[in-house]
Amino acid sequence: MISKIPYGNTELTLELPDEQVSGVLNSNIGNLQNDQTEDDIVKAAMAKHLGSASLKELAKDKKTAVIIISDHTRPVPSKHIIPFMLEEMREGNPDIDITLLVATGFHRGTTPDELVSKLGQKIVDEEKIAVHDSSNADENVKIGVLPSGADLIINRLAAEADLLVSEGFIEPHFFAGFSGGRKSVLPGVSDRVTVLGNHCSKFIASPYARTGILENNPIHTDMKSAAKQAGLQYIVNVIIDEEKRVVMAFAGDPFIAHEAGCEFLKQYCRVKAVPADIVITGNGGAPLDQNMYQCVKSMTAAEASAGDDGVIILCAECLDGTGGDGFYRAMRDCESARALFENIMTIPQNQTQPDQWEYQILARILSKHTVLYVTRPEMKDIVTEMKMTYAPDLDTAVKMAKEIKGENASFTVIPNGIAVIVEQ
């Protein structure tokens, strides 16, 4: 059996004996065919505007508007979305004052070059663009309290806009259930206080805070409330294929359109877990595998098929390093992954630490599984410091895994771990 694992802007080739492969878990999004262009798909969705007035109607009589846009860590094809949102808003109100607000959440700020890559030079040159900073208290304002009890503090531009709308894309998410929709507000343009409260250890540990689950998910409940309190009125969310091309779009009411998109996506992403001794996965290639922080997502897909003590092989380029200093230091400085996990579970909501959710999930996985990390040589020491094992290439990782689980060990392959919902 030969499989291709996305890795940066290329792929790694995996060859295994057929008799040792228990299963290959792939999203079926590649089977979704659409004869329209990416632009036409988006425009058709906006013409339907599910559950809401059109963007043109919403823009009438409004003085100011904010479009929340994705940041550099998300493969949202903004060039196929933002121009049409701008065009329709100005068709309804030529004088409306529009700001593009980059939803960085808890990530670093998006650079000028990354903005050009995402939006194109024309939009960067001609539009007002602000980059959200969750740590800048002067730029953020409290607008309410979340169901969890955490203060809801968001970017002042979003809070004070006459019209608040957003773009985004829908994919399975490892603790919010799905990305998109309400996530543009929380964590997208929320203050660190709000993000930390929402991402507390109790919520992350909930059995409902898992990939593909929205019902009873406490993290989703907070996020939905945040979007409502912020007054988010309209979204354009897309679904992309493995080549990151738009294959479907949903627009309109933030909750109706998002729910429709999630229900649509489920039928293409659900796969049944196939237990195996060794599970091999990737994080979707660039930009999704740009750092170790993001790659915890695909580990959760592998975790679901790795039994109680299976070996996980993760392939990720990690051009942007660890992706979070707190994330890195917590794993580096802990006595063991299990000790770190047990300590996190004692931390109350109002004492949640930056990146805690990410290293909580990684520590949970490492408490049960050996993780072999196929990445750039420059990352070798960091991988080791973070309680994982470095492998210079995929073939070497397979040999190392067999040394642990036996020469005749079984394999499950999940080429793109963030594209599937692995159900038990």
Side-chain angles (χ1 to χ4, degrees):
M1 184 216 73
I2 297 177
S3 290
K4 301 289 185 179
I5 311 294
Y7 181 90
N9 290 310
T10 183
E11 296 176 322
L12 302 182
T13 300
L14 171 67
E15 187 169 0
L16 296 169
D18 290 347
E19 64 272 14
Q20 288 185 253
V21 179
S22 299
V24 179
L25 309 185
N26 275 311
S27 162
N28 288 315
I29 198 70
N31 296 332
L32 179 57
Q33 301 296 318
N34 200 319
D35 295 332
Q36 295 177 295
T37 67
E38 293 179 86
D39 289 351
D40 287 342
I41 293 169
V42 171
K43 288 190 287 187
M46 292 176 66
K48 291 181 180 178
H49 48 87
L50 300 172
S52 78
S54 68
L55 194 50
K56 178 172 64 176
E57 289 294 323
L58 291 172
K60 286 181 179 178
D61 303 321
K62 302 296 194 305
K63 290 184 178 180
T64 62
V66 165
I67 304 176
I68 302 174
I69 69 170
S70 61
D71 75 353
H72 56 284
T73 68
R74 301 292 184 263
V76 180
S78 302
K79 293 176 183 177
H80 298 289
I81 303 173
I82 297 303
F84 306 117
M85 296 183 75
L86 291 169
E87 179 183 1
E88 187 169 332
M89 291 167 74
R90 288 179 174 139
E91 184 181 348
N93 184 353
D95 298 322
I96 194 167
D97 183 1
I98 303 173
T99 299
L100 306 183
L101 178 59
V102 184
T104 53
F106 226 71
H107 308 146
R108 66 166 173 81
T110 302
T111 67
D113 286 346
E114 287 168 337
L115 285 174
V116 172
S117 176
K118 171 169 283 293
L119 298 167
Q121 191 69 55
K122 185 176 187 295
I123 287 180
V124 170
D125 289 343
E126 296 179 359
E127 302 295 336
K128 293 168 61 176
I129 301 175
V131 179
H132 173 64
D133 183 353
S134 65
S135 298
N136 189 337
D138 293 336
E139 291 183 359
N140 305 323
V141 59
K142 180 179 176 179
I143 63 169
V145 178
L146 296 172
S148 65
D151 286 341
L152 176 56
I153 306 170
I154 68 171
N155 188 284
R156 188 179 298 274
L157 290 170
E160 297 179 353
D162 296 328
L163 176 62
L164 182 64
V165 302
S166 73
E167 68 155 12
F169 88 123
I170 302 173
E171 68 167 350
H173 189 278
F174 67 135
F175 59 78
F178 288 92
S179 65
R182 74 285 184 245
K183 269 185 105 264
S184 61
V185 174
L186 172 58
V189 296
S190 293
D191 187 89
R192 60 182 284 122
V193 170
T194 301
V195 178
L196 293 173
N198 175 251
H199 289 25
C200 65
S201 59
K202 179 182 177 181
F203 281 10
I204 294 294
S206 168
Y208 300 105
R210 295 292 188 272
T211 308
I213 299 176
L214 295 179
E215 188 175 0
N216 297 320
N217 185 331
I219 293 171
H220 168 65
T221 298
D222 259 12
M223 290 177 172
K224 192 172 180 179
S225 176
K228 288 182 177 179
Q229 292 186 59
L232 184 66
Q233 294 187 52
Y234 184 99
I235 65 170
V236 179
N237 276 193
V238 300
I239 291 173
I240 58 177
D241 64 13
E242 296 287 353
E243 281 72 47
K244 302 177 178 63
R245 298 173 301 194
V246 177
V247 289
M248 196 65 183
F250 298 84
D253 177 86
F255 311 106
I256 294 174
H258 182 251
E259 183 177 344
C262 293
E263 288 301 315
F264 178 86
L265 185 61
K266 277 182 184 179
Q267 62 185 313
Y268 293 95
C269 292
R270 282 175 170 160
V271 294
K272 190 71 175 175
V274 180
D277 299 316
I278 302 165
V279 182
I280 303 174
T281 191
N283 210 66
L288 297 170
D289 73 345
Q290 67 180 270
N291 58 54
M292 298 175 76
Y293 183 101
Q294 294 294 328
C295 292
V296 177
K297 297 177 180 178
S298 54
M299 285 192 208
T300 63
E303 177 190 28
S305 277
D308 291 331
D309 62 351
V311 173
I312 294 172
I313 298 176
L314 176 68
C315 306
E317 190 173 29
C318 298
L319 282 177
D320 199 24
T322 62
D325 190 53
F327 168 66
Y328 160 65
R329 285 186 288 104
M331 297 304 307
R332 181 196 66 188
D333 297 341
C334 68
E335 176 185 346
S336 67
R338 184 175 298 277
L340 176 61
F341 180 80
E342 292 174 353
N343 178 65
I344 292 168
M345 294 309 300
T346 69
I347 298 175
Q349 180 186 36
N350 63 359
Q351 294 179 29
T352 302
Q353 299 299 305
D355 299 335
Q356 177 183 296
W357 49 93
E358 211 76 9
Y359 58 77
Q360 177 180 343
I361 296 172
L362 179 55
R364 180 187 79 207
I365 293 169
L366 291 177
S367 294
K368 299 185 295 181
H369 305 287
T370 297
V371 174
L372 308 180
Y373 218 113
V374 180
T375 186
R376 299 176 297 117
E378 295 88 344
M379 296 296 295
K380 180 179 180 179
D381 291 343
I382 292 173
V383 168
T384 303
E385 289 172 342
M386 293 180 70
K387 312 299 187 285
M388 293 174 281
T389 302
Y390 170 77
D393 53 64
L394 188 48
D395 287 342
T396 300
V398 169
K399 291 178 182 177
M400 293 167 68
K402 285 184 175 181
E403 289 174 1
I404 298 171
K405 303 301 292 184
E407 192 63 32
N408 296 318
S410 59
F411 289 82
T412 289
V413 182
I414 312 175
N416 184 353
I418 61 173
V420 293
I421 301 169
V422 183
E423 298 181 338
Q424 298 293 334

